[in-house]
Amino acid sequence: LKVLQSYYKSFKNIAENKSDEEFQLLHIEDKVENFVRDRLNNNKIVIVTGSPGDGKTHLIKYLQPNIPSNTKIVLDANENTDEIIKSIEDCHQKKEPLVIAINEGVLLNCAEKSNTEIGRYLSSCILYQYETPQNYNKFAEEIFLVNLKNRNNLNREKIQRILDTIAETFTPCENCPDCLATENLKMIQQGNIKEKLVELLSRSSVFAPHFTMREIWAFFSFMINNSHQCGGEKIEGMNYYNNIFDNDLGGIFEWIKQF
């Protein structure tokens, strides 16, 4: 359970320091992975954007083993904004695949400052996300903006798959087999409990704002672990269902309480 606990312990700011094994383990695929893979395999440019914590870097690191070896990868463009538009222009001219992770606000700022055709195209993509950019047909099939902020991560299928991953993968640590976290882990493996959690989260999503995968993993981590530390003594405390409601963590917890 230590991997799962690490998500709660870093609830507010999970560093991108997971091992390759953990990336593969914790990633829940949806349609966006196939979209990005397909474009890169056809020498296109994909800019993965969104808010901090949306999983931009995580997505690219997960895809890295299965994209062309000549793909130029920029995992954190927020730190080197001066070169972003130039990198896009260069790869576009050479018809080489490029994938970039960058926050939406930073990308918009770079695009507006560049005063280039590609910059104006990207500004249009960001500001008018539900309309086809006008007058930029030559970029429309070459440069793609994937905004992870638009994903509904609380949809029924994704929550079911996260719970299945937890139930099938995580096991108690050897030195604390009787702890409350182990009890909670066993409880959510039961079909009727999983069904109720899927229902609760998917229905809450109708009213809730966008939540990142980081927040959702932290939610399940706290639900199972509370403040338990692996290797410690057996703790007496609340059960998984109380962990959801009896805390002051805000975020997804508060929306579920309201629901």
Side-chain angles (χ1 to χ4, degrees), residues 219-238:
F219 168 82
F220 284 116
S221 173
F222 187 82
M223 187 184 79
I224 294 168
N225 293 296
N226 198 332
S227 56
H228 172 65
Q229 302 293 312
C230 281
E233 297 177 2
K234 180 177 178 180
I235 57 171
E236 300 297 333
M238 295 181 289

Side-chain angles (χ1 to χ4, degrees), residues 122-133:
L122 291 173
S123 295
S124 180
C125 288
I126 296 166
L127 295 172
Y128 308 103
Q129 291 180 36
Y130 302 104
E131 299 177 19
T132 303

